């Protein structure tokens, strides 16, 4: 992509209902932050310029973020995560796995508690890709390893364990075992911040006795607070 095309894509994004602040892109193509920000907008369904979005995300893979700036690191991690999601949507599972692995490596290289990125969610995306690639045993082994490491450590809100048990519940649902699904979801929710507003909804979802396992798991997920809006210790 040349600078002229980059400028044209900025003009396109600025003309849409997304209407981002123009200053997000003021440093131009040479600033990797601008390339990433434009890519996120280009990937939006209403803009749908996925090839260009992927090209811009891929362009920042070699970039070394400022190690003293957690937001800088997080911006690169999110770019890799979004790239992986686009590839997953296009069933490019091997490429998606490669890029979510890069995101995990970047996230785990520092001790920062990020504002938006959850390490457990990154790993869950890896586990789901391994499952799609018929490498489910590998995913389960990694989850069991994290459970062994973290379960007895006094960390109350643990994204590794929430997403690990949530993945185990998903596999149990695919195997048709509702009791195990509920057991794993109870375990997952132990590691999430749940207030009274959600407890009644969750109790109702768990109380379902019919045989539609996918529906029950979906109802539990609907009754669960959005992980992006919660406090996590890790």
């Amino acid at each position: 992509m040349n600078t002229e095309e980059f400028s044209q894509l900025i003009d396109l994004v600025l003309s849409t209902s997304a209407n981002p602040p123009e200053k997000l892109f003021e440093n131009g193509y040479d600033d990797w932050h601008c390339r990433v920000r434009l890519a996120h907008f280009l990937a939006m369904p209403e803009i749908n310029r996925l090839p260009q979005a992927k090209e811009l995300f891929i362009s920042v893979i070699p970039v070394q973020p400022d190690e003293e700036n957690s937001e800088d690191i997080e911006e690169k991690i999110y770019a890799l995560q979004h790239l992986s999601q686009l590839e997953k949507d296009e069933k490019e599972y091997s490429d998606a796995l490669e890029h979510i692995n890069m995101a995990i490596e970047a996230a785990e290289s520092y001790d920062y508690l990020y504002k938006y990125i959850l390490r457990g969610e990154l790993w869950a995306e890896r586990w789901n890709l391994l499952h799609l690639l018929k490498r489910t045993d590998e995913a389960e082994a990694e989850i069991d390893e994290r459970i062994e490491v973290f379960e007895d450590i006094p960390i109350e809100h643990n994204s590794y364990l929430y997403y690990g048990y949530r993945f185990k519940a998903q596999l149990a649902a695919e195997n048709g075992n509702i009791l195990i699904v509920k057991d794993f979801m109870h375990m997952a929710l132990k590691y999430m911040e749940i207030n009274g507003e959600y407890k009644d909804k969750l109790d109702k979802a768990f109380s379902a006795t019919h045989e539609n396992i996918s529906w029950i798991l979906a109802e539990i997920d609907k009754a669960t607070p959005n992980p992006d809006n919660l406090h996590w210790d890790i």
Side-chain angles (χ1 to χ4, degrees):
M1 182 181 300
N2 58 38
T3 56
E4 181 179 355
E5 184 182 358
F6 185 76
S7 296
Q8 291 171 350
L9 290 169
I10 291 173
D11 291 340
L12 169 67
V13 167
L14 293 174
S15 70
T16 67
S17 58
N19 194 28
E22 191 171 354
K23 67 180 182 180
L24 287 178
F25 316 114
E26 64 184 0
N27 290 336
Y29 181 86
D30 290 338
D31 184 341
W32 71 269
H33 304 88
C34 296
R35 300 201 300 276
V36 163
R37 292 164 193 164
L38 181 60
H40 288 303
F41 283 101
L42 293 173
M44 293 172 67
E46 59 267 36
I47 300 178
N48 196 31
R49 296 296 182 94
L50 300 185
Q52 293 92 337
K54 288 171 65 177
E55 180 180 350
L56 290 171
F57 282 136
I58 289 170
S59 78
V60 304
I61 288 175
V63 168
Q64 178 60 47
D66 180 358
E67 296 186 353
E68 303 299 320
N69 185 336
S70 63
E71 293 181 2
D72 211 49
I73 296 165
E74 189 166 17
E75 190 159 10
K76 179 170 181 181
I77 294 168
Y78 184 45
L80 292 167
Q81 183 183 23
H82 200 167
L83 172 61
S84 177
Q85 183 60 57
L86 294 179
E87 291 165 334
K88 179 184 175 185
D89 291 343
E90 295 178 348
K91 296 183 168 52
E92 299 170 353
Y93 299 139
S94 294
D95 288 341
L97 180 62
E98 178 184 359
H99 294 130
I100 202 63
N101 286 345
M102 289 181 182
I104 290 169
E105 182 180 3
E108 300 285 22
S109 295
Y110 307 94
D111 292 331
Y112 295 118
L113 185 61
Y114 302 109
K115 289 183 178 179
Y116 306 108
I117 296 295
L118 285 176
R119 289 174 173 85
E121 183 180 25
L122 297 176
W123 280 97
E125 291 176 17
R126 169 179 161 81
W127 297 328
N128 278 294
L129 286 163
L130 288 174
H131 185 45
L132 289 168
L133 289 165
K134 314 298 184 187
R135 294 163 59 184
T136 307
D137 289 348
E138 187 177 342
E140 289 190 279
E142 290 179 357
I143 293 166
D144 291 339
E145 179 182 332
R146 271 147 193 77
I147 290 172
E148 184 177 355
V149 168
F150 287 107
E151 200 158 39
D152 294 329
I153 295 175
I155 298 175
E156 188 174 4
H157 304 123
N158 189 318
S159 67
Y160 292 120
L161 297 183
Y162 168 74
Y163 282 102
Y165 279 114
R166 173 62 184 77
F167 182 80
K168 283 178 170 284
Q170 173 190 323
L171 294 182
E174 292 176 12
N175 293 327
N177 195 321
I178 187 57
L179 293 179
I180 294 179
V181 169
K182 290 183 177 180
D183 284 346
F184 280 141
M185 284 309 299
H186 278 300
M187 291 299 296
L189 293 169
K190 278 176 54 179
Y191 299 100
M192 173 183 272
E193 186 179 33
I194 306 283
N195 61 32
E197 175 188 353
Y198 293 94
K199 287 181 180 177
D200 290 343
K201 296 177 184 178
L202 284 166
D203 287 344
K204 182 178 179 181
F206 274 105
S207 68
T209 57
H210 55 75
E211 298 298 318
N212 190 334
I213 298 175
S214 296
W215 186 89
I216 292 173
L217 183 55
E219 288 300 298
I220 292 171
D221 281 338
K222 287 179 188 176
T224 300
N226 185 341
D228 293 341
N229 299 332
L230 300 179
H231 164 76
W232 296 92
D233 297 313
I234 191 170

